[in-house]
């Protein structure tokens, strides 16, 4: 089974040289720490920067340089700053090659819910709805089950949707799955996780074909 | 000679009345018009509709106006950092319109650019699309979003000149340039007010035509919402 760092490491393997990538808040943010050597990947933060660098050293924080999670950041050489409309032109115009975000629920048709629990939690969608509506390549990074142990991979989302039929791949602490017309197709298992465990933790339709390889981390 | 300079935040907000619609630049606490917010709190103007990406935190930014119940309605994309906001929203005291961040930016820009509405894929199939016209372009569904304008837009820049030309610093730029375009009257508060000619015309972010009033702010706190650092090895 993977921890959050493991999920980030596995998703980092999806990165390709020259890609512009938007990472959401939470597990996705960790991916920036595991870019494979030799790859040039440019991270976009939707509050208005391309070329986001690592967190600053203590004492070097700049209140005027933050990411979309409101954390202090640095800018890489060649970074560029722009306004919010330009930022979402990059997103809506499909100039970003990969979007990774967290989710509360994903349905086996690719629907995603991650912005609201009616009557309880009302934080807002931020940029997530724009990102999922426009990106061709969306990976969800999340734990397979919620804190109550209930599956987050469902036949249908129960929470208000963020986007419809948009998620392509899901990486959880248990497995890598792709969204297909027949449901979640099991692609890889996390170390020391059985197909049976994934089945038990998945409420949506799960497609299992042949031997399922273990992730290489 | 053209002179848009006013003496301070109190002079800048003259004419803002109860019940008006304001746009306020900033992302989180980054690039917010601190001086003008304080002046609005002190002036006690209420029943405001505020268009701003976020709602500040409990004791800073727009949170200060929320504390005093001066805001009737918020139009934002993300409000997760403010407990008082969430309480007022869930209890129904505060009217809230949550809209996708990209649509918010585009709606402000459209408002300032004379485009009354546009189609976007963001929000299709969600609560956001309820009651909105859907149209397919290239086989993909889009929803119709209206432009946004405001009685007053209030932005914060790094440097500005007497003509209202503005330069922003870092990610404090965010929503400020698009909101600057969409105010019937736009107020700019700047850290440094300079003479026309001092800013290189090639590197001005917001042309002064969008700005009606400008002043040099004081005592910027620039609070950091999530100070995150790495250790030196």
């Amino acid at each position: 089974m993977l921890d959050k760092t493991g999920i980030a490491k596995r998703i980092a393997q999806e990165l390709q040289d020259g890609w512009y990538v938007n990472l959401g808040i939470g597990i996705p943010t960790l991916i920036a720490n595991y870019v494979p050597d030799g790859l040039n990947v440019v991270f976009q933060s939707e509050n208005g920067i391309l070329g986001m660098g690592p967190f600053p050293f203590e004492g070097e924080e700049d209140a005027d340089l933050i990411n979309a999670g409101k954390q202090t950041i640095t800018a890489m050489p060649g970074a560029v700053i722009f306004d919010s409309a330009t930022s979402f032109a990059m997103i809506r115009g499909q100039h970003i090659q990969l979007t990774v975000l967290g989710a509360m629920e994903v349905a086996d048709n690719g629907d995603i819910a991650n912005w609201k629990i009616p009557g309880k939690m009302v934080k807002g969608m931020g940029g997530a709805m724009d990102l999922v509506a426009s990106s061709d390549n969306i990976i969800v990074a999340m734990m397979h089950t919620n804190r109550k142990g209930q599956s987050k991979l469902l036949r249908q989302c129960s929470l208000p949707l963020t986007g419809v039929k948009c998620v392509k791949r899901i990486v959880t602490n248990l497995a890598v799955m792709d969204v297909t017309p027949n449901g979640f197709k099991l692609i890889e298992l996390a170390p020391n996780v059985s197909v049976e465990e994934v089945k038990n933790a998945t409420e949506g339709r799960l497609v299992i074909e042949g031997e399922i390889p273990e992730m290489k981390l | 000679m053209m002179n848009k300079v006013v003496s301070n935040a109190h002079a800048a907000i003259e004419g803002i009345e109860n019940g008006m619609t304001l746009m306020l630049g900033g992302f989180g606490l980054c690039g917010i018009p601190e001086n003008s917010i304080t002046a609005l709190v002190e002036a006690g103007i209420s029943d405001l509709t505020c268009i701003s990406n976020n709602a500040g935190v409990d004791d800073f930014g727009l949170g200060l106006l929320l504390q005093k119940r001066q805001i009737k309605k918020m139009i934002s994309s993300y409000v997760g950092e403010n407990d008082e906001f969430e309480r007022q929203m869930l209890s129904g005291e505060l009217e809230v319109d949550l809209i996708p961040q990209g649509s918010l930016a585009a709606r402000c820009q459209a408002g300032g650019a004379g485009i009354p509405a546009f189609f976007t894929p963001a929000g299709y199939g969600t609560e956001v699309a309820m009651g909105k016209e859907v149209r397919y372009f290239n086989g993909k569904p889009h929803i119709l979003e209206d432009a946004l304008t405001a009685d007053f837009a209030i932005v914060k820049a790094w440097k500005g000149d007497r003509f209202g030309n503005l330069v922003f610093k870092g990610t404090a730029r965010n929503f400020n340039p698009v909101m600057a375009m969409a105010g019937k009257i736009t107020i700019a508060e700047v850290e440094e007010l300079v003479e026309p000619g001092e800013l290189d015309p090639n590197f001005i972010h917001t042309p002064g035509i969008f700005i009606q009033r400008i002043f040099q702010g004081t005592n910027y706190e620039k609070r950091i919402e999530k100070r995150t650092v790495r250790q030196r090895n």
Side-chain angles (χ1 to χ4, degrees):
Chain A
M1 198 183 296
L2 301 178
D3 56 8
K4 289 179 178 180
T5 304
I7 295 172
K9 282 183 181 166
R10 174 58 191 83
I11 295 174
Q13 295 173 4
E14 307 278 324
L15 300 172
Q16 291 184 23
D17 195 42
W19 272 9
Y20 292 97
V21 177
N22 182 290
L23 301 177
I25 296 165
I27 302 173
T29 304
L30 302 173
I31 295 167
N33 300 327
Y34 304 106
V35 180
D37 283 344
L39 286 195
N40 285 302
V41 175
V42 178
F43 292 110
Q44 195 234 27
S45 198
E46 65 267 24
N47 58 318
I49 181 169
L50 270 176
M52 176 174 43
F55 298 131
F57 290 119
E58 199 160 358
E60 292 177 4
E61 313 93 286
D62 179 354
D64 291 330
L65 203 54
I66 63 167
N67 64 17
K70 285 110 182 174
Q71 297 170 306
T72 42
I73 54 161
T74 55
M76 299 293 285
V80 54
I81 305 275
F82 34 85
D83 65 66
S84 299
T86 307
S87 183
F88 282 90
M90 294 172 191
I91 290 165
R92 215 183 296 104
Q94 301 190 317
H95 304 282
I96 306 275
Q97 278 76 36
L98 173 65
T99 294
V100 187
L101 73 174
M104 297 173 190
E105 296 177 344
V106 178
D108 65 23
N109 67 346
D111 289 356
I112 176 172
N114 73 353
W115 74 281
K116 183 180 185 183
I117 303 172
K120 269 191 192 163
M121 188 223 59
V122 198
K123 291 186 185 300
M125 67 292 281
M129 282 194 185
D130 309 89
L131 282 157
V132 300
S134 294
S135 184
D136 272 338
N137 191 10
I138 298 170
I139 298 179
V140 166
M142 66 177 190
M143 304 307 274
H144 212 100
T145 53
N146 64 22
R147 284 184 193 133
K148 292 180 191 159
Q150 297 158 330
S151 181
K152 294 170 74 174
L153 292 116
L154 307 173
R155 186 77 181 85
Q156 249 186 340
C157 292
S158 65
L159 296 170
L161 294 181
T162 307
V164 294
K165 295 179 188 166
C166 52
V167 176
K168 293 287 182 295
R169 173 163 276 203
I170 304 132
V171 180
T172 73
N173 50 326
L174 302 185
V176 177
M177 289 143 294
D178 281 349
V179 174
T180 70
N182 299 318
F184 300 115
K185 184 175 180 194
L186 190 55
I187 303 294
E188 291 173 14
L189 292 166
N192 305 314
V193 171
S194 67
V195 170
E196 208 55 34
E197 283 174 81
V198 177
K199 261 189 192 169
N200 290 337
T202 307
E203 195 251 10
R205 294 171 300 162
L206 189 65
V207 180
I208 303 158
E209 285 174 6
E211 279 294 300
I212 310 298
E214 185 179 301
M215 291 178 202
K216 292 184 183 69
L217 291 167
Chain B
M1 187 166 46
M2 187 183 290
N3 188 5
K4 299 177 179 180
V5 177
V6 294
S7 54
N8 56 35
H10 290 281
I13 66 163
E14 202 185 300
I16 299 183
E17 293 169 10
N18 295 346
M20 279 189 167
T21 296
L22 310 182
M23 276 180 190
L24 298 109
F27 188 101
L29 301 178
C30 182
I32 59 171
E34 291 182 22
N35 280 228
S36 301
I37 291 171
T38 302
L40 288 169
V41 172
E42 287 170 3
I45 301 159
S46 63
D47 287 321
L48 295 169
T49 293
C50 292
I51 303 169
S52 176
N53 187 55
N54 311 90
V57 295
D58 281 322
D59 62 346
F60 199 58
L62 286 182
L64 298 170
L65 284 166
L66 284 164
Q67 267 182 11
K68 296 271 172 70
R69 310 284 172 89
Q70 288 170 265
I71 301 178
K72 176 184 69 179
K73 180 178 181 179
M74 279 295 313
I75 299 175
S76 302
S77 87
Y78 188 84
V79 295
E81 317 299 341
N82 192 318
D83 293 338
E84 175 61 13
F85 181 100
E86 196 154 346
R87 192 197 64 71
Q88 287 185 24
M89 177 177 176
L90 290 172
S91 71
E93 292 164 61
L94 179 69
E95 205 182 321
V96 177
D97 196 359
L98 287 170
I99 59 182
Q101 196 174 121
S103 297
L104 178 61
R107 289 174 71 180
C108 295
Q109 191 179 48
I115 295 172
F118 58 89
F119 282 95
T120 177
Y124 171 77
T126 75
E127 284 179 10
V128 165
M130 286 196 314
K132 290 175 185 164
E133 183 184 340
V134 175
R135 203 183 290 181
Y136 282 73
F137 296 93
N138 303 317
K140 197 176 159 176
H142 294 73
I143 62 174
L144 185 66
E145 292 281 12
D146 292 339
L148 288 169
T149 55
D151 295 307
F152 281 80
I154 310 177
V155 302
K156 152 75 179 24
W158 178 36
K159 292 181 180 180
D161 68 22
R162 216 164 4 91
F163 292 176
N165 297 311
L166 304 178
V167 174
F168 302 91
K169 180 168 156 280
T171 55
R173 192 181 321 182
N174 57 62
F175 279 86
N176 284 298
V178 289
M179 289 184 169
M181 296 167 67
K184 290 190 189 91
I185 295 173
T186 295
I187 299 163
E189 56 173 86
V190 298
E191 289 177 54
E192 199 182 328
L193 189 60
V194 301
E195 284 303 307
E198 286 185 47
L199 301 175
D200 183 337
N202 292 295
F203 295 97
I204 288 169
H205 299 131
T206 289
I209 190 168
F210 297 119
I211 307 299
Q212 281 70 45
R213 301 175 188 172
I214 187 167
F215 69 96
Q216 183 166 306
T218 53
N219 300 320
Y220 281 103
E221 180 178 338
K222 290 199 183 184
R223 195 184 291 187
I224 293 176
E225 208 165 326
K226 293 185 182 167
R227 188 178 301 274
T228 315
V229 296
R230 67 188 146 135
Q231 300 303 316
R232 288 175 205 272
N233 293 331

